[in-house]
Amino acid sequence: MALALEIKKEFTQLSERVKSVDLHPTQPWILASLYSGTVCILNYQSQTMEKSVKVTESPVRSAKFIARKNWIVTGSDDKFIRVYDQDTMEMIKEFEAHTDYIRCVTVHPSLPCILSSSDDMLIKMWDWEKGWDCTQTFEGHSHYVMQSAFNPKDSNVFASASLDETVKIWNLNSPAPISTLDGHAKGVNCVDYFINNEKLYLLSGSDDFTVKVWDYESKTCMQTLESHTNNVCAVCVHPEFPIIITCSEDGTICVWDANTCRLENTLNYGLERVWTVGCMKGSHQVAFGCDNGTIVVRVSGSN
């Protein structure tokens, strides 16, 4: 049966370049981190900016809610991780985490830890119940590490995307990768897991302008999604609908049927390059971060 989707823009906040967005699991909030070094919480229901904090003079490339602690964690080009109280925006902790830019921070779904991915080619795990000690360093990429994502079926396992043109799979207990997915012609910017009909897949988006869909069990590429005309910056699968969402420096957002890998829709909201996407289980909202601001759309329909 064909997908019947409606994608309606709900909210736009103009700003400087947005490098990451994250949706809160219970509040109508978007966390946006800006190239200018500011992080802000936007309310897409009241159409207002709730709070903001100047983190650093450097770009903040990643910011995430740690909702179970009422915290926000940020990673920036000054190599620091910083943790804030999401209600007061007071800083709780800051520490130098890497020797080069931090591209991504990823919060573990249940353990008291985060992963940080950096241009120093390392991924590090930090445990907040151990005073934010680094409890593991993951080494194996040969270029900048752009993003990481946890396996939804086994949260002891995660995947990482790197400009060395590979996706690597890791176990939290081992510093070396357990497998490598090699197939892109240029650097890989983004990675995400998804489950479709009980089967586990990986998505990867690349500077070769393509998105690849990988069979996780066999580690083989099942499909290559081709529509973008510039670097693919972000990928995700909607948690409520079987759609793949891809974002690019070409300014477009592509929506693909996750069952058939057919292109269903191409969106362009005129805010220049689209750097990041965020969605949340239980929510129909999807947030996008662009050169000129943040957009929230609501996806509805049937499949």
Side-chain angles (χ1 to χ4, degrees), residues 62-82:
S62 188
K64 299 284 171 60
F65 288 112
I66 306 179
R68 58 192 184 270
K69 301 293 290 184
N70 289 330
W71 291 346
I72 290 163
V73 60
T74 70
S76 47
D77 281 10
D78 64 6
K79 312 162 194 169
F80 274 75
I81 289 173
R82 294 177 176 88

Side-chain angles (χ1 to χ4, degrees), residues 30 72 106 117 126 153 179 183 188 197 276 296-297:
I30 305 295
I72 290 163
T106 307
S117 306
W126 308 90
K153 287 192 167 187
S179 57
V188 186
N197 296 322
T276 180
V296 178
V297 303

Side-chain angles (χ1 to χ4, degrees), residues 37-186:
T38 296
V39 168
C40 49
I41 296 177
L42 310 170
N43 187 317
Y44 56 83
Q45 281 187 357
S46 64
Q47 308 274 311
T48 58
M49 181 165 18
E50 296 248 335
K51 306 173 178 106
S52 72
V53 63
K54 180 72 171 179
V55 173
T56 173
E57 294 302 318
S58 304
V60 181
R61 295 187 187 270
S62 188
K64 299 284 171 60
F65 288 112
I66 306 179
R68 58 192 184 270
K69 301 293 290 184
N70 289 330
W71 291 346
I72 290 163
V73 60
T74 70
S76 47
D77 281 10
D78 64 6
K79 312 162 194 169
F80 274 75
I81 289 173
R82 294 177 176 88
V83 186
Y84 294 85
D85 182 299
Q86 74 178 24
D87 299 315
T88 65
M89 298 304 259
E90 290 179 6
M91 190 162 61
I92 295 166
K93 180 77 175 178
E94 68 172 339
F95 56 95
E96 190 166 354
H98 287 272
T99 59
D100 209 333
Y101 296 172
I102 299 171
R103 294 282 173 174
C104 179
V105 290
T106 307
V107 182
H108 193 280
S110 56
L111 296 176
C113 62
I114 66 165
L115 299 176
S116 56
S117 306
S118 170
D119 285 7
D120 64 13
M121 302 187 287
L122 301 176
I123 305 161
K124 294 184 178 183
M125 182 165 62
W126 308 90
D127 188 323
W128 65 73
E129 287 189 353
K130 295 179 178 174
W132 289 97
D133 278 356
C134 179
T135 55
Q136 187 70 273
T137 298
F138 304 92
E139 194 166 356
H141 280 299
S142 58
H143 208 315
Y144 304 162
V145 187
M146 303 299 286
Q147 194 178 33
S148 66
F150 282 104
N151 181 335
K153 287 192 167 187
D154 181 359
S155 61
N156 280 321
V157 173
F158 69 93
S160 60
S162 169
L163 294 192
D164 66 12
E165 304 179 8
T166 71
V167 172
K168 291 187 184 294
I169 313 297
W170 313 76
N171 188 296
L172 290 181
N173 302 316
S174 172
I178 53 178
S179 57
T180 298
L181 281 58
D182 193 349
H184 283 289
K186 289 188 177 179

Side-chain angles (χ1 to χ4, degrees), residues 190-243:
C190 46
V191 64
D192 196 22
Y193 285 91
F194 73 103
I195 299 167
N196 192 26
N197 296 322
E198 303 299 315
K199 195 171 167 63
L200 189 62
Y201 297 90
L202 265 173
L203 289 174
S204 57
S206 169
D207 288 345
D208 65 12
F209 307 172
T210 73
V211 175
K212 290 189 180 290
V213 182
W214 304 86
D215 180 301
Y216 187 72
E217 192 174 336
S218 66
K219 307 293 188 290
T220 56
C221 179
M222 307 293 295
Q223 290 274 357
T224 299
L225 310 184
E226 298 181 89
S227 177
H228 289 296
T229 58
N230 208 323
N231 302 338
V232 179
C233 303
V235 294
C236 78
V237 172
H238 196 284
E240 304 300 320
F241 297 102
I243 55 172

